[in-house]
Amino acid sequence: QVQLVESGGGLVQAGGSLRLSCAASGRIEIINNMGWYRQPPGKQREFVATITRGRTTNYADSVKGRFTISRDNTNDTVYLQMNSLKPEDTAVYYCNADSRMNSASDYWGRGTQVTVSS
């Protein structure tokens, strides 16, 4: 079992930056890919960025060029550096990990709130 805990959210003005962190614990060795998703107010959860075990990254078009996902060599922490934040980035941001043992298994953190003011 894997537990994920996000941190680093908060209130920031438009144009500002935040760095989110996600710390994994438990059976870290089973983690395959990791990523970030977000749920804006009144909307469904949406993809933000992913990073594979090989450090290949993928981004939603809405954040490409502004956000950077990265991962520690220990594979127990993933980050999301968010620059040039916009009010539409306001959401609860969730950390995700999938399993090397079962590709259908996903682990989720409880989320961290990011609020971008005008």
Side-chain angles (χ1 to χ4, degrees):
Q1 188 80 317
V2 173
Q3 296 81 46
L4 303 172
V5 179
E6 303 95 338
S7 62
L11 176 65
V12 66
Q13 291 182 318
S17 298
L18 285 173
R19 190 178 77 152
L20 305 183
S21 298
C22 173
S25 60
R27 295 189 63 195
I28 296 168
E29 68 275 9
I30 75 170
I31 294 174
N32 191 14
N33 307 308
M34 300 186 75
W36 291 94
Y37 296 74
R38 68 187 183 186
Q39 187 170 10
K43 296 183 179 181
Q44 298 292 319
R45 187 176 299 185
E46 64 186 30
F47 164 76
V48 176
T50 53
I51 184 166
T52 69
R53 287 181 61 85
R55 291 352 186 224
T56 299
T57 59
N58 191 27
Y59 298 91
D61 288 341
S62 59
V63 307
K64 195 171 297 182
R66 300 187 298 120
F67 291 10
T68 303
I69 189 169
S70 60
R71 188 170 178 175
D72 278 358
N73 290 336
T74 55
N75 287 319
D76 63 356
T77 310
V78 65
Y79 305 94
L80 186 69
Q81 178 66 47
M82 305 185 294
N83 298 326
S84 301
L85 283 162
K86 304 174 180 179
E88 47 264 50
D89 295 319
T90 295
V92 177
Y93 283 71
Y94 296 92
C95 181
N96 167 262
D98 63 21
S99 173
R100 298 174 65 192
M101 309 305 296
N102 186 349
S103 62
S105 296
D106 278 328
Y107 303 93
W108 294 91
R110 292 187 176 184
T112 185
Q113 177 70 48
V114 172
T115 302
V116 184
S117 62
S118 303

